[in-house]
């Protein structure tokens, strides 16, 4: 196997940007002859890269995916970014802890010392949000099988762990979304004739069906919006089903760090207007109560009624001591 040269690595770096590169352009960029270019292309092929010759007036060379993994070429910044991403994947919020940690260790082992030092210096610990349960482990083989069926628009059959005695599910997979360490599949259920959300860590795919389907329009426009809406208890867009506005007797800066996905604006005399949402009016009223501030206005009426319900409930609880 020939030793790579700076010129060969430059050629590979150019071709990795994609597209077809005319021979004349490569010759000019590298300041070499056509004969040297042909020899360098042959060297890349010997290294395992699938470099195809494109015929015609606009032809040249194109780097395509091959059947085996060739040596990869990354610059320093790409390696540091890749290692950092794998470190995040090895954190408690990924569901791919073991695979990500092993991949990062494999990359680190073959790096020159200057890059190992940069990666080690960027090491950080991930802290889960308060109250978050540990992320469920996701089998990379399961994720790959689900991803393949989704990419190829093929019907997917699988067993689901929360319904162990049920027959295999048959779905048309439309998109994979990850949120807070959990992986979800958005799919059209062929037996229930409805859109469904499946936890991939609970799926056990059966043999590939090879049955193609025509993609449908996902409610909300895309898989991420659909998942966001369902996780908020909404059947429409990625918004909370209950949204209200209150005026609080505190300045906006006192509550801004704790808003979540709410919004706040300053009013006169040290007051602010808060707009927030939740899955129910009671839940929204309770979450606003955590700011420990007098409420001078509440809209819509459903939110005001929720405050009244909570006030009555808390009053009765105060006599239980």
């Amino acid at each position: 196997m020939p030793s790579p040269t700076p010129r060969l690595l430059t050629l590979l770096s150019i071709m990795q940007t994609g597209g077809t590169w005319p021979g004349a352009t490569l010759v000019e960029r590298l300041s070499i002859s056509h004969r040297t270019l042909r020899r360098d292309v042959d060297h890349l092929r010997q290294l395992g890269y699938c470099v195809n010759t494109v015929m015609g007036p606009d032809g040249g060379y194109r780097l395509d995916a091959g059947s085996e993994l060739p040596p990869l070429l990354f610059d320093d910044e790409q390696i540091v970014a890749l290692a950092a991403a794998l470190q995040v994947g090895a954190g408690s919020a990924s569901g791919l802890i073991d695979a990500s940690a092993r991949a990062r260790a494999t990359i680190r082992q073959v790096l020159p010392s200057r890059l190992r030092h940069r990666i080690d210096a960027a090491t950080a610990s991930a802290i889960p949000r308060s109250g978050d349960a540990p992320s469920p482990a996701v089998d990379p083989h399961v994720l790959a099988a689900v991803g393949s069926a989704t990419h190829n628009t093929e019907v997917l059959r699988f067993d689901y762990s929360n319904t162990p005695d049920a027959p295999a599910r048959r779905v048309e997979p439309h998109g994979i979304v990850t949120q807070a360490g959990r992986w979800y599949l958005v799919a059209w259920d062929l037996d229930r004739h409805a859109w469904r959300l499946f936890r991939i860590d609970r799926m056990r795919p059966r043999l590939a069906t090879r049955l193609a389907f025509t993609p449908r329009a996902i409610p909300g426009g895309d898989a991420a919006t659909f998942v966001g809406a369902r996780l908020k208890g909404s059947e429409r867009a990625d918004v909370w089903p209950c949204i209200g506005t209150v005026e609080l007797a505190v300045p906006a800066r006192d509550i801004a760090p704790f808003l979540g996905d709410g919004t706040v604006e300053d009013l006169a005399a040290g007051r602010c207007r808060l707009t927030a949402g939740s899955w129910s009016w009671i839940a929204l009223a309770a979450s606003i109560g955590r700011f420990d501030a007098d409420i001078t206005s509440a809209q819509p009426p459903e939110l005001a009624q929720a405050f009244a319900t909570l006030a009555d409930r808390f009053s009765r609880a105060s006599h239980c001591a």
Side-chain angles (χ1 to χ4, degrees):
M1 185 176 295
S3 300
T5 63
R7 186 187 67 247
L8 195 64
L9 294 176
T10 301
L11 172 61
L12 179 58
S13 178
I14 293 172
M15 298 190 69
Q16 282 183 159
T17 61
T20 298
W21 287 86
T25 301
L26 294 174
V27 165
E28 181 179 357
R29 290 280 295 270
L30 298 170
S31 299
I32 58 176
S33 66
H34 284 276
R35 179 181 178 182
T36 301
L37 175 63
R38 288 192 295 271
R39 185 171 64 245
D40 286 350
V41 168
D42 287 339
H43 285 170
L44 288 179
R45 289 168 176 161
Q46 293 175 36
L47 287 167
Y49 294 96
C50 184
V51 182
N52 287 322
T53 302
V54 181
M55 307 304 293
D58 296 324
Y61 299 99
R62 182 178 66 242
L63 181 63
D64 291 331
S67 59
E68 297 183 3
L69 182 66
L72 300 179
L73 176 65
F74 296 101
D75 61 33
D76 289 4
E77 300 305 320
Q78 289 174 322
I79 282 291
V80 173
L82 179 60
L86 288 171
Q87 182 184 1
V88 172
S92 60
S94 74
L96 296 170
I97 298 174
D98 182 62
S100 297
R102 286 189 290 108
R104 187 175 189 272
T106 299
I107 290 176
R108 185 188 182 281
Q109 184 176 0
V110 298
L111 292 180
S113 59
R114 59 184 175 81
L115 285 181
R116 283 202 303 271
H117 293 325
R118 290 187 63 182
I119 289 175
D120 293 343
T123 298
S125 299
I127 300 177
R129 294 180 305 177
S130 177
D132 281 353
S135 299
V138 175
D139 187 333
H141 296 289
V142 172
L143 186 59
V146 175
S148 177
T150 304
H151 176 76
N152 297 326
T153 59
E154 294 178 352
V155 173
L156 179 67
R157 294 179 72 243
F158 59 93
D159 297 308
Y160 207 48
S161 61
N162 68 343
T163 55
D165 299 325
R169 309 295 288 266
R170 297 186 313 118
V171 303
E172 296 174 348
H174 280 67
I176 295 175
V177 177
T178 180
Q179 198 270 346
R182 286 176 170 77
W183 295 77
Y184 299 94
L185 172 68
V186 176
W188 175 262
D189 194 311
L190 291 170
D191 297 314
R192 292 161 177 78
H193 306 288
W195 288 99
R196 289 290 187 267
L197 196 61
F198 298 97
R199 287 261 300 271
I200 294 182
D201 60 286
R202 296 175 177 173
M203 298 172 62
R204 293 296 175 267
R206 296 196 178 187
L207 291 176
T209 66
R210 307 302 182 196
L211 298 175
F213 67 88
T214 301
R216 305 168 188 262
I218 302 176
D222 55 59
T225 301
F226 179 86
V227 172
R230 287 299 178 91
L231 295 182
K232 289 179 177 178
S234 176
E235 295 294 332
R236 47 197 182 100
D238 185 8
V239 296
W240 293 106
C242 300
I243 299 176
T245 300
V246 296
E247 292 185 8
L248 303 176
V250 291
R253 65 174 180 273
D254 289 355
I255 67 171
F258 316 104
L259 282 181
D261 59 357
T263 60
V264 65
E265 58 179 311
D266 263 316
L267 300 175
R271 296 179 300 113
C272 69
R273 180 181 293 111
L274 167 68
T275 300
S278 189
W279 57 86
S280 72
W281 293 112
I282 290 292
L284 178 57
S287 68
I288 293 173
R290 77 186 190 275
F291 293 119
D292 191 23
D294 289 340
I295 301 170
T296 59
S297 173
Q299 291 294 332
E302 291 87 348
L303 178 57
Q305 180 57 50
F307 282 123
T309 301
L310 284 179
D312 180 63
R313 187 175 297 168
F314 291 160
S315 178
R316 286 184 277 109
S318 67
H319 300 293
C320 295

